[in-house]
Amino acid sequence: MSKRTFPASELIINNDGSCFHLHLKPEQLADRVILVGDPARVDTVAAHFDSKECEVSSREFHTITGMYKGKRITVQSHGIGCDNIDIVVNELDTLANIDYQTREERDEHRTLTMVRIGTCGGLQPFTPTGSFIASVKSIGFDGLLNYYAGRNVVCDIDMERAFCEHMQWDPIKGAPYVSIADEELINQIAQDDMVRGYTISCGGFYGPQGRVLRADIADPQQNEKIEAFEYGDMKVCNFEMESSAVAGLASLLGHRAMTCCMVIANRYTTEMNTEYKNSIDTLISKVLERI
């Protein structure tokens, strides 16, 4: 069976041999990857490293690869939103599984372990500000995974149906999907000190998350319905903007991935902590130890 070859218009390689957006070269990528939204948070994570091997920056994509207690780790920023996750996860996969010299798939699949560390809004009384939440399944409002063949294989279709029925979902918004984090990785990272639950990845920060400023939202009861939704023995614990694409796209490409977030706002109690940047270092330390 012939290997797939990727033309220059599809696999865009810069003149220096790096991938198009990240500007990262294959040899600069570790098997363990920590994903963060804020480019400045890359430095916060890398400050824990024992040594730094390389550092690359391009737009919102900031990368440092180094060593932490004998583990080679890449920390990669992705900016805000599932559209950026599409870029980051796909390009990381090409670095791992495509030969940049021949433009052919490699003979052996290389599996990456990706853990996204982020911030989120809590949706339950048991997720106050400062809580750490591990996203077991993520409901994508963004629609990203719907553009890929095989999305049904890596999604919980029954939960999608139950959620749409509960929400009385308007199809004009596009179909939500439910991606599933790697179970073994969830157990490895979350252990017994993170809340496990469902997460909603929104396509925006304001209207899609039920915030009302000068523009009214289509469903004023959206958040109340989300808070009441229960499937199996779990509820929707938080809003954020990337976990559905991280878990879903990684799974499609044969990688292990999950998201864990610190609650900086609780929409249920209307609390907000804008001084979270110091306390998120505790979550970073946990992930570095466990990844």
Side-chain angles (χ1 to χ4, degrees):
M1 183 176 179
S2 60
K3 289 187 264 186
R4 284 194 292 177
T5 302
F6 305 93
S9 61
E10 310 306 296
L11 174 62
I12 306 171
I13 301 174
N14 299 318
N15 290 335
D16 64 354
S18 64
C19 57
F20 185 54
H21 294 94
L22 306 186
H23 283 248
L24 204 61
K25 298 177 182 178
E27 64 271 17
Q28 296 175 318
L29 175 65
D31 290 340
R32 296 178 176 93
V33 182
I34 291 177
L35 300 171
V36 295
D38 185 354
R41 195 170 295 152
V42 171
D43 292 312
T44 304
V45 176
H48 294 264
F49 287 180
D50 302 311
S51 62
K52 297 177 186 178
E53 176 186 316
C54 65
E55 181 169 5
V56 179
S57 289
S58 175
R59 301 186 186 185
E60 62 265 62
F61 308 116
H62 181 197
T63 315
I64 295 178
T65 295
M67 296 296 294
Y68 176 81
K69 296 185 178 181
K71 296 182 286 192
R72 187 171 183 248
I73 298 173
T74 294
V75 54
Q76 171 73 60
S77 68
H78 52 69
I80 297 174
C82 284
D83 51 342
N84 278 4
I85 297 300
D86 187 60
I87 291 171
V88 171
V89 172
N90 270 299
E91 292 195 5
L92 292 178
D93 177 73
T94 68
L95 293 167
N97 290 301
I98 297 177
D99 187 321
Y100 270 35
Q101 300 300 315
T102 65
R103 294 181 168 274
E104 293 182 341
E105 284 183 279
R106 296 188 183 276
D107 292 328
E108 294 186 9
H109 182 272
R110 178 182 169 193
T111 301
L112 303 175
T113 296
M114 293 180 272
V115 178
R116 185 179 110 70
I117 301 173
T119 56
C120 68
L123 291 172
Q124 300 294 341
F126 56 84
T127 58
T129 56
S131 302
F132 299 150
I133 298 176
S135 304
V136 174
K137 295 180 183 178
S138 298
I139 305 170
F141 282 6
D142 56 284
L144 175 67
L145 217 63
N146 297 333
Y147 289 87
Y148 288 92
R151 58 84 82 200
N152 286 6
V153 178
V154 299
C155 289
D156 187 330
I157 305 301
D158 290 337
M159 182 172 165
E160 288 177 12
R161 294 193 186 102
F163 181 77
C164 288
E165 182 178 347
H166 173 83
M167 294 292 296
Q168 298 176 303
W169 189 261
D170 186 343
I172 199 171
K173 297 177 181 177
Y177 62 91
V178 177
S179 60
I180 307 167
D182 186 273
E183 183 178 1
E184 182 181 72
L185 188 58
I186 285 280
N187 291 332
Q188 178 182 329
I189 300 297
Q191 296 189 12
D192 60 357
D193 53 9
M194 296 186 191
V195 177
R196 302 185 192 203
Y198 305 136
T199 294
I200 288 183
S201 295
C202 298
F205 184 77
Y206 290 98
Q209 295 189 29
R211 287 186 171 92
V212 180
L213 297 179
R214 295 191 61 249
D216 291 332
I217 60 174
D219 183 359
Q221 281 75 50
Q222 171 188 285
N223 285 16
E224 287 82 356
K225 288 188 283 189
I226 289 171
E227 290 160 6
F229 177 70
E230 189 167 354
Y231 187 81
D233 60 349
M234 290 186 183
K235 290 189 172 185
V236 177
C237 291
N238 58 328
F239 276 146
E240 52 84 84
M241 298 176 66
E242 293 89 15
S243 66
S244 59
V246 169
L249 194 52
S251 184
L252 276 176
L253 294 168
H255 303 294
R256 308 166 66 225
M258 65 162 290
T259 292
C260 52
C261 289
M262 186 180 78
V263 177
I264 63 170
N266 187 288
R267 305 296 300 285
Y268 185 87
T269 60
T270 67
E271 298 172 327
M272 177 70 197
N273 173 21
T274 57
E275 303 299 322
Y276 65 87
K277 292 191 177 180
N278 291 331
S279 50
I280 200 171
D281 202 53
T282 302
L283 179 57
I284 291 170
S285 296
K286 288 180 185 292
V287 173
L288 284 169
E289 287 293 326
R290 297 170 183 178
I291 193 170

